[in-house]
Amino acid sequence: MFVKGDRIAFFSIPGSYMKLIFIVSGGILLALAIMGEHYGLLATLALLIFVGIVYFFRSLRLGLTKSLQDSGASIDFMVVAITGILGLNLLALSSKDYSIHQVLASILLCISVYPFWRYLRHKEGNIPFVPLIAMVYGIYYGIFVFLPFEYYSRLVYISNEVKTKALLLTDVGLCVLLITFYKWPQAAWKVWLPQLSIRWSETRARRFAIVLGIVGLTSVALSKLMDVPLFVAQFIYFLNQLGLLAIVILFFLQLNGKLQLPYKLFLWGALVPLQLLMDIGAGTLFQPIRFGVMFGMTYVLVKQKVPWRLIVILSMLAFPLLATKGEFRSLTWKNSSPMQEDPIRRGVDFLSFAGFSMTRVDKDSLYVMAEVVAQRLDLLSFFGFVIERTPNVVPYWGGETYSTFLWRFIPRIFVPDKPMERLGQEVGHRYGLLDLTDIGTSVNLAQLVEMYANFGTIGVIVGMFALGLVYSVLQYSLNHKKAGEWGQVSSIIIFISLINIESNFTIVYGGIIYWIVLLWFLGWFVRSESSPLHLQGDSISSFETARK
């Protein structure tokens, strides 16, 4: 290391050479890990320390004090992420045989936290939907291998070689997705893709949120009290989401200091608790989890920092619900249907049941509850299960799971006989996870697993590339600097559904076009008179210009 003027020569290494150093170093460390299991911890520690040292030195090059002031949120996040990864490695080393699996999982976690660090470091200022999705991949595919828990009973007998392949494919797939998203030129979409741009009137937004909240809560309550006809199910689903849209609008205004006390009382005294209780009362927790992600995504968008306190609180609240969900379902659904009962009462019952269960917990039961939650968040084992049986036992699906995607754009009211989405049952029976007599249980086919089940390894690479392009399109059209307040708020509703990586592609992405059209239409009711609705882009002029 040499001093040159007021800088250190090492700090001035060009970025391209730094990338080469990282690639070579990572390859050497990975080779060491493969040579011996206990080299794995050393390799992981060395790689993380190397990243930390380089980051520290490059901060000095810019001026350490200035860097800390400008990037405090990113540094806080980096410290928490590295501490967490190191802690997981130490846990694995002390509680189970350390192997290449922990090394590959550590690499996956490093990859998964990079987008959020980048988001905070560069103050990107838009909605962090891809950074959050990347972290969800890390949680679902990378955490369980560190934990001292048993695998789910039907996923126990998976060979180590298959687990290694599953981790490698996840690492490669996530890299392909992120490289495509960050490196695909945004200018490629300018020729034909418009950009949604809507600024709102705060007065109209507040009043409209009240209407949306009442309509949304009423729709949710009615849909849980009666059987919804199949041909209007999609329409009712959209109405059900209006309550969430109202919550985002009011929370967005509150974070910006633009929400008066009566609206705060409506938000926190009625809208949030009623929506949450009815979602929990159904016995499924994806909606409440999406609820928390919605708050976190909005907070990061407005404040540009991580709400650590909110994350800790929501995690503590979610744990007993996740741990007791199965028992609550078995007790309440055994002799009665979850439909046609008071949805708010069911939500209160679930909370009471989870709270009562926690009061009786001891060391052994707490371990079992933690194991249940960890198994619920383990997609890697299911990925390995599918890899081991495809195509030896179950042939490649050859794109069959995507066959109903185009039908999603046609409302059932126009085509009553269009194909039904029954993939959850089909997956369970094909792979032997459900008994032949079980016609009610659904097994989710995660998007990454779906890609392999259809086309194998090449399906993962091509599929994650295509998914990266989808994210790039959404980023360009919805998540840009001129989207306006309504554009940002309505886009959050779209993006929070994308975190559902454990469901198949058609379910998650089949309704996006509907949502874009619906939210663009609703924008008419909140738009500012001085800033009317626009679709910006080279291929289409603004609405007002076209009307003139």
Side-chain angles (χ1 to χ4, degrees):
M1 198 178 297
F2 302 95
V3 177
K4 182 179 181 181
D6 60 347
R7 299 194 306 176
I8 301 177
F10 177 76
F11 306 159
S12 301
I13 297 177
S16 59
Y17 288 103
M18 290 302 302
K19 293 176 183 178
L20 180 61
I21 291 173
F22 275 113
I23 292 172
V24 174
S25 301
I28 294 173
L29 294 173
L30 182 58
L32 285 173
I34 295 173
M35 289 170 57
E37 291 184 354
H38 287 87
Y39 284 113
L41 181 62
L42 177 63
T44 305
L45 289 172
L47 182 60
L48 292 173
I49 291 172
F50 180 65
V51 171
I53 290 174
V54 171
Y55 182 85
F56 175 74
F57 283 155
R58 290 177 70 84
S59 297
L60 284 180
R61 178 187 175 188
L62 300 173
L64 181 59
T65 303
K66 181 178 183 298
S67 178
L68 289 173
Q69 291 174 347
D70 293 346
S71 306
S74 67
I75 291 177
D76 290 344
F77 177 77
M78 182 187 68
V79 170
V80 172
I82 291 178
T83 302
I85 296 171
L86 289 176
L88 287 171
N89 277 274
L90 292 173
L91 176 63
L93 188 67
S94 63
S95 62
K96 63 197 319 180
D97 292 334
Y98 199 93
S99 69
I100 186 62
H101 297 152
Q102 283 75 30
V103 178
L104 293 174
S106 297
I107 294 172
L108 175 62
L109 292 176
C110 290
I111 296 170
S112 69
V113 300
Y114 166 76
F116 206 91
W117 170 85
R118 170 184 172 135
Y119 173 86
L120 295 172
R121 177 68 179 85
H122 297 290
K123 294 181 171 58
E124 294 179 6
N126 49 23
I127 302 170
F129 80 101
V130 167
L132 287 175
I133 288 173
M135 286 199 294
V136 172
Y137 271 98
I139 293 171
Y140 272 108
Y141 289 91
I143 296 292
F144 193 84
V145 297
F146 297 100
L147 305 179
F149 301 128
E150 295 295 330
Y151 292 96
Y152 180 67
S153 57
R154 299 199 177 189
L155 305 177
V156 171
Y157 304 106
I158 303 172
S159 67
N160 288 330
E161 292 78 9
V162 169
K163 292 177 185 176
T164 302
K165 181 177 180 180
L167 279 164
L168 281 170
L169 284 177
T170 307
D171 285 349
V172 172
L174 187 56
C175 281
V176 170
L177 185 150
L178 295 177
I179 290 172
T180 304
F181 175 75
Y182 284 115
K183 296 301 182 181
W184 189 268
Q186 291 287 298
W189 311 121
K190 293 178 67 174
V191 177
W192 59 278
L193 196 64
Q195 290 183 302
L196 186 69
S197 179
I198 309 174
R199 299 193 65 85
W200 69 19
S201 161
E202 292 173 2
T203 301
R204 289 183 175 182
R206 285 190 289 266
R207 293 172 180 172
F208 195 50
I210 300 296
V211 176
L212 292 176
I214 295 173
V215 172
L217 290 177
T218 304
S219 177
V220 172
L222 291 177
S223 65
K224 294 182 182 297
L225 289 170
M226 62 183 66
D227 293 322
V228 177
L230 192 60
F231 68 93
V232 295
Q234 190 67 37
F235 175 71
I236 297 299
Y237 171 78
F238 286 129
L239 288 181
N240 290 351
Q241 308 310 303
L242 295 182
L244 294 180
L245 179 58
I247 291 172
V248 177
I249 293 172
L250 296 177
F251 187 53
F252 184 92
L253 288 167
Q254 180 179 339
L255 291 175
N256 283 285
K258 304 293 180 61
L259 196 65
Q260 294 86 356
L261 181 59
Y263 294 97
K264 290 181 182 179
L265 293 175
F266 176 72
L267 173 64
W268 300 108
L271 195 53
V272 169
L274 291 176
Q275 181 76 46
L276 192 57
L277 285 173
M278 287 193 287
D279 286 341
I280 292 175
T284 58
L285 293 182
F286 172 72
Q287 294 294 345
I289 291 173
R290 192 178 70 153
F291 204 75
V293 173
M294 178 183 73
F295 280 116
M297 192 178 286
T298 308
Y299 187 92
V300 173
L301 170 66
V302 176
K303 299 297 186 180
Q304 286 295 292
K305 59 182 180 180
V306 182
W308 297 113
R309 185 179 303 174
L310 177 65
I311 292 172
V312 172
I313 293 174
L314 292 180
S315 299
M316 293 175 62
L317 293 175
F319 176 79
L321 295 175
L322 287 169
T324 60
K325 179 183 68 173
E327 188 177 357
F328 176 77
R329 283 181 175 181
S330 63
L331 290 174
T332 57
W333 291 7
K334 186 175 182 180
N335 299 316
S336 64
S337 168
M339 303 292 292
Q340 299 176 350
E341 294 184 17
D342 183 350
I344 297 177
R345 175 68 181 178
R346 288 183 62 86
V348 173
D349 289 344
F350 192 1
L351 290 176
S352 300
F353 178 80
F356 179 70
S357 299
M358 294 302 294
T359 62
R360 298 177 297 140
V361 72
D362 55 21
K363 180 180 178 181
D364 293 334
S365 58
L366 183 62
Y367 181 90
V368 173
M369 294 172 73
E371 186 174 64
V372 169
V373 174
Q375 289 174 349
R376 179 65 184 84
L377 298 176
D378 174 30
L379 283 182
L380 182 69
S381 298
F382 180 57
F383 192 14
F385 182 83
V386 170
I387 290 175
E388 196 164 59
R389 285 157 179 75
T390 310
N392 298 328
V393 178
V394 180
Y396 290 122
W397 295 56
E400 181 182 341
T401 66
Y402 304 110
S403 60
T404 60
F405 180 73
L406 293 179
W407 284 104
R408 301 282 291 192
F409 299 103
I410 303 175
R412 189 172 292 276
I413 193 171
F414 299 128
V415 185
D417 297 329
K418 79 173 185 175
M420 291 284 294
E421 183 73 48
R422 302 185 184 276
L423 186 60
Q425 270 274 302
E426 185 68 20
V427 170
H429 289 300
R430 281 201 192 188
Y431 287 97
L433 294 172
L434 298 178
D435 296 330
L436 294 177
T437 57
D438 189 339
I439 59 173
T441 306
S442 180
V443 177
N444 290 334
L445 186 62
Q447 293 152 41
L448 182 63
V449 184
E450 181 184 18
M451 295 169 188
Y452 187 90
N454 277 282
F455 303 109
T457 299
I458 190 65
V460 171
I461 296 173
V462 175
M464 294 300 270
F465 171 77
L467 202 56
L469 290 182
V470 171
Y471 293 160
S472 180
V473 166
L474 294 175
Q475 179 86 349
Y476 176 80
S477 281
L478 305 176
N479 200 20
H480 53 92
K481 294 181 179 179
K482 297 181 180 180
E485 300 89 352
W486 179 257
Q488 291 178 324
V489 163
S490 57
S491 295
I492 287 174
I493 298 299
I494 295 174
F495 293 151
I496 58 175
S497 296
L498 303 187
I499 66 168
N500 185 17
I501 66 169
E502 61 176 326
S503 292
N504 62 295
F505 181 83
T506 299
I507 286 180
V508 177
Y509 294 90
I512 285 183
I513 298 298
Y514 287 134
W515 267 117
I516 293 174
V517 173
L518 175 63
L519 292 169
W520 184 77
F521 169 75
L522 293 177
W524 279 93
F525 297 96
V526 299
R527 74 189 190 281
S528 169
E529 294 293 347
S530 60
S531 179
L533 273 172
H534 286 281
L535 285 176
Q536 298 179 340
D538 292 348
S539 62
I540 185 169
S541 61
S542 72
F543 178 84
E544 288 296 310
T545 302
R547 187 174 66 175
K548 291 177 181 179

